[in-house]
Amino acid sequence: GGVEAAGAAGGEGLAVEHSHAAGSSGGVAGGTRYSLRGTLHMLHFLLQAPLHPCDGCQQRFDYFASLHRDRAAAIAQYQPLRRHPSLFGTAARWRREWLSADARAALESRGGGGGLRSHLVEVSPEVFAFPLLREECCAMLVEEVD
């Protein structure tokens, strides 16, 4: 097999192996195998230098990059002020104990027994409501925004 190198920042190449022996494709179409390391290097390279398909897109990219920096700074400044850290971060997923009994039942029904529809209440024409969160979770959210 041969090896091709795609250019990357810092002069490093990203290796893509081509296997030409019969039956040695390793389950990959055309016999091309990609390593995890090479894929991560390519991803890193692409994230460092965004592709610009048109004139003027650098200005838009810079605008969105500035928005991202501002958002990240606001998150960092708010972090020490959080009252309920369990609502934030990578471990902050919807926890089953936050959901109301009706919401948990609807999720567990998976289409059987009426699911969510059986818990909907029409509060105004074509406006429906249902209890999503438990009172304790609602209190945490209110405390966080106060």
Side-chain angles (χ1 to χ4, degrees):
V3 175
E4 292 178 18
E12 295 180 25
L14 304 178
V16 178
E17 297 179 23
H18 292 280
S19 177
H20 298 290
S24 66
S25 68
V28 180
T32 303
R33 295 183 310 191
Y34 300 95
S35 69
L36 177 59
R37 182 183 180 116
T39 301
L40 292 174
H41 279 290
M42 181 60 82
L43 179 62
H44 179 75
F45 171 73
L46 290 173
L47 291 175
Q48 285 182 337
L51 303 175
H52 296 286
C54 61
D55 291 335
C57 67
Q58 180 66 45
Q59 189 175 22
R60 286 179 51 93
F61 175 80
D62 290 343
Y63 170 74
F64 287 114
S66 173
L67 288 179
H68 174 71
R69 281 191 301 275
D70 293 346
R71 179 179 176 272
I75 290 169
Q77 289 174 348
Y78 184 71
Q79 190 168 1
L81 306 174
R82 298 182 303 187
R83 292 184 179 165
H84 299 284
S86 63
L87 296 173
F88 302 92
T90 56
R93 296 188 175 124
W94 284 100
R95 297 181 179 172
R96 296 190 75 69
E97 65 265 17
W98 293 348
L99 300 176
S100 71
D102 290 341
R104 285 194 310 270
L107 289 171
E108 291 166 0
S109 72
R110 300 185 192 256
L116 183 60
R117 288 183 184 266
S118 65
H119 301 284
L120 292 177
V121 176
E122 190 168 10
V123 294
S124 190
E126 298 186 26
V127 176
F128 297 89
F130 70 97
L132 176 63
L133 301 174
R134 293 181 59 199
E135 291 295 326
E136 296 84 3
C137 183
C138 292
M140 284 187 345
L141 291 169
V142 169
E143 288 172 9
E144 197 63 49
V145 297
D146 274 347

